[in-house]
Amino acid sequence: MSINNNSEFKPKIVAFCCNWCSYAGADLAGSSRLTYPADVKIIRVPCSCRVNPMFILRAFEKGADGVILCGCHPGDCHYTSGNFYARRRMTLLFSMLDYIGVENGRTRVEWVSAAEGVKFSATMNSFVEKIYSLGKNVRLEDLRCKN
Amino acid sequence: MQELITRAKELLADGTVARVLGWKAGDLEYNPQPAFFTNEKELEEFVYNGFCGANLSKYMIEASKLEGKTLICLKPCDSYSFQQLMKEHRIDREKAYIIGVGCKGKLDIDRIKANGLKGVTGVTGAELTDDCEELCVTTLYGDKKIPYADGMLERCSVCKGKEHMICDEQIGESKDTKTGERFAKVAAVEEMSSAEKFAFFQKELSKCIRCNACRNVCPACSCRKCVFDSTKFDSAQKANVDSFEEKMFHIIRAFHVAGRCTDCGECSRVCPQGIPLHLFNRKFIKDINELYGEYQAGADIEAKAPLTSYVFEDVEPSVVAERSKS
């Protein structure tokens, strides 16, 4: 959409992290002194499957420029199968968001285990970089009528 | 139609069914409405013609709670919805006596009018016994003939087939009406740029008056308590003057029926604003077909629903980005 190359642009990025893997991974990234941009706001969820598609719509409606969901690697879910369901749901939701005009670069799912502090930091860095290159998001809140 | 009425009377008389669920004439000739009939006299009002687009399967949810069997008339496409509701344990097969009625394509009065016809007072040539090649439209300015296909609902031109998924007996002949590719429009939207897509959907959805007709008619929207009627919305509360559900209504609704939508097209048929709501549902169906294998909700009662099952080798969500590049 309207790419605003204004240097003032500070993206709002929401990261949903599962309690058992990715949140611990973020913790490890912190204690390992690895850096990732402060634009990322982490929300801890019990499982990646807890993320109702509405949460993501909600984030975009409230003006998020990107949403990333992190969970345990497939097969490693603390609740056995939560991330499998999340994977299908998110695939369809992201495809739908792309369909209504939110570029697919703004949505991502990444599997980060508790031991992968390096991967967490690298993922966040690359995701934020991607959002900077995409610029400001469409105003999803205007989908039904322009405010 | 007479055959159908005679059969319904017979079944009422011998006590097989306690009531008949069908269509009766509405206030205008071209908008029959769903109705229950309990005796022979009421059945005189029964109609079945090209304008009986309404899908009756959802009414069976209430009828399942009543005493005795209900005779329900199902068109081929309605039988998918019926079977899907059975699968979800929302209706009781034992409480229904199903007559599969033939279908030669259902009509849309707005499309008929779009042929440049004004002052329409009546349409003939749409009875089940007609060959449905040509419609005779009576208007205040004289009669006019148009090809049947020019007055048909969009969903009938991409028909899933005229075979009943479930029925006890069949009455009336069907005729193949498929002329177009079901996912053509979805594919056309996918080809647009992000800005064009957003503008397209903003234009369409801005027409919405939130009458909830699409939700009320949808056979997949059968929750006892709908999330949109809740005072404690999952991620927004009405008391907080939050417009989240207003703005995201269509996307949320489409997602709620993803994997269960049989693509019966009722949402688009009832929309008073003419929003092509089926484009959302079809997008999900298209994705499910491409990513998780061909799946038609309501076709197979034993099949696993795509969103409540998984395999280890499922594609990663990044496939969305890869697909749109290629």
Side-chain angles (χ1 to χ4, degrees):
Chain A
M1 271 299 303
S2 53
I3 293 177
N4 185 356
N5 285 327
N6 194 334
S7 58
E8 294 285 301
F9 173 60
K10 291 294 279 180
K12 294 196 191 93
I13 295 166
V14 181
F16 290 99
C17 292
C18 107
N19 181 39
W20 304 99
C21 291
S22 313
Y23 197 79
D27 210 23
L28 181 65
S31 41
S32 315
R33 307 287 183 269
L34 297 165
T35 56
Y36 61 86
D39 306 306
V40 181
K41 313 285 187 288
I42 295 179
I43 297 176
R44 180 163 68 156
V45 285
C47 176
S48 49
C49 193
R50 171 67 184 94
V51 178
N52 185 325
M54 276 199 280
F55 292 0
I56 290 172
L57 291 177
R58 176 78 165 165
F60 280 121
E61 192 239 1
K62 285 284 173 189
D65 296 296
V67 177
I68 181 165
L69 170 64
C70 301
C72 308
H73 285 268
D76 289 348
C77 178
H78 184 78
Y79 306 101
T80 316
S81 56
N83 52 7
F84 289 118
Y85 294 110
R87 184 164 61 174
R88 282 201 171 190
R89 252 178 241 163
M90 291 308 140
T91 308
L92 290 183
L93 180 71
F94 293 173
S95 180
M96 175 53 78
L97 282 169
D98 182 48
Y99 186 63
I100 59 172
V102 177
E103 299 101 325
N104 49 50
R106 298 184 184 280
T107 48
R108 192 182 291 183
V109 168
E110 207 69 56
W111 312 118
V112 181
S113 85
E116 293 175 324
V118 178
K119 185 179 179 188
F120 184 86
S121 143
T123 301
M124 290 305 160
N125 278 310
S126 78
F127 188 61
V128 171
E129 202 174 295
K130 175 80 183 166
I131 300 298
Y132 268 102
S133 73
L134 285 170
K136 243 184 127 32
N137 194 6
V138 291
R139 283 163 53 89
L140 201 58
E141 57 170 331
D142 293 342
L143 183 62
R144 252 192 65 192
C145 30
K146 203 158 164 52
N147 280 351
Chain B
M1 184 170 92
Q2 201 49 50
E3 195 186 347
L4 205 52
I5 297 176
T6 316
R7 183 68 184 132
K9 282 181 180 169
E10 265 175 42
L11 287 165
L12 265 180
D14 69 13
T16 313
V17 296
R19 68 196 70 76
V20 176
L21 176 51
W23 303 266
K24 72 172 183 184
D27 47 356
L28 293 165
E29 202 183 314
Y30 47 76
N31 60 350
Q33 60 196 55
F36 283 102
F37 306 89
T38 49
N39 56 46
E40 242 183 64
K41 192 166 174 297
E42 286 175 6
L43 271 173
E44 299 299 327
E45 288 181 32
F46 186 99
V47 292
Y48 180 64
N49 57 34
F51 289 103
C52 294
N55 183 344
L56 301 178
S57 16
K58 197 179 181 181
Y59 291 84
M60 200 56 217
I61 297 175
E62 285 309 309
S64 294
K65 296 171 189 160
L66 303 173
E67 197 72 31
K69 274 196 172 192
T70 304
L71 188 162
I72 178 170
C73 304
L74 295 180
K75 302 188 292 294
C77 51
D78 304 345
S79 64
Y80 287 88
S81 314
F82 188 93
Q83 190 143 266
Q84 180 64 25
L85 283 164
M86 262 173 65
K87 185 176 174 177
E88 293 165 11
H89 307 287
R90 303 291 283 131
I91 55 182
D92 187 353
R93 176 69 180 91
E94 299 302 311
K95 286 284 182 73
Y97 186 90
I98 307 166
I99 291 190
V101 291
C103 175
K104 292 178 176 174
K106 293 294 166 236
L107 299 165
D108 178 358
I109 189 66
D110 291 324
R111 268 202 77 189
I112 293 176
K113 286 176 181 166
N115 287 285
L117 300 171
K118 283 183 181 155
V120 177
T121 54
V123 180
T124 50
E127 292 298 329
L128 193 54
T129 41
D130 293 331
D131 60 4
C132 293
E133 290 294 339
E134 197 169 48
L135 280 175
C136 183
V137 188
T138 332
T139 71
L140 295 173
Y141 315 102
D143 293 356
K144 206 187 162 199
K145 284 191 187 332
I146 59 164
Y148 194 88
D150 284 359
M152 230 160 40
L153 286 164
E154 187 273 347
R155 75 183 196 213
C156 294
S157 58
V158 294
C159 185
K160 292 191 285 288
K162 300 295 185 191
E163 190 193 337
H164 289 89
M165 290 295 113
I166 185 168
C167 70
D168 292 314
E169 60 180 277
Q170 263 172 288
I171 291 179
E173 297 211 330
S174 294
K175 196 183 77 177
D176 189 28
T177 53
K178 184 173 176 181
T179 51
E181 174 52 46
R182 187 167 160 205
F183 298 112
K185 181 66 186 165
V186 175
V189 174
E190 281 170 351
E191 289 301 309
M192 296 181 188
S193 74
S194 290
E196 285 167 346
K197 286 174 188 168
F198 191 75
F200 172 76
F201 283 111
Q202 190 178 44
K203 180 170 157 284
E204 292 294 343
L205 296 182
S206 295
K207 290 189 250 169
C208 176
I209 53 173
R210 243 338 265 290
C211 64
N212 281 348
C214 48
R215 181 200 68 176
N216 294 347
V217 80
C218 177
C221 272
S222 59
C223 298
R224 282 186 193 90
K225 178 97 182 174
C226 174
V227 66
F228 296 111
D229 290 337
S230 171
T231 47
K232 287 203 175 80
F233 197 71
D234 199 15
S235 52
Q237 292 191 344
K238 284 198 171 137
N240 294 347
V241 196
D242 195 305
S243 51
F244 173 65
E245 69 149 270
E246 288 288 331
K247 287 163 183 159
M248 296 294 133
F249 174 75
H250 303 91
I251 314 295
I252 296 173
R253 208 186 78 77
F255 203 91
H256 280 189
V257 301
R260 304 189 298 119
C261 170
T262 63
D263 199 11
C264 73
E266 284 287 273
C267 43
S268 301
R269 184 184 68 86
V270 297
C271 183
Q273 300 290 84
I275 304 170
L277 292 165
H278 60 269
L279 289 181
F280 289 116
N281 301 323
R282 269 190 208 155
K283 167 68 178 166
F284 279 127
I285 295 171
K286 184 169 181 279
D287 280 343
I288 288 169
N289 283 348
E290 286 172 5
L291 301 172
Y292 307 120
E294 289 284 323
Y295 180 80
Q296 169 62 51
D300 178 5
I301 202 153
E302 302 295 336
K304 278 187 177 170
L307 278 175
T308 52
S309 59
Y310 62 87
V311 289
F312 187 81
E313 296 79 19
D314 274 341
V315 287
E316 294 295 327
S318 56
V319 73
V320 179
E322 287 156 19
R323 273 196 317 177
S324 62
K325 268 177 220 149
S326 58

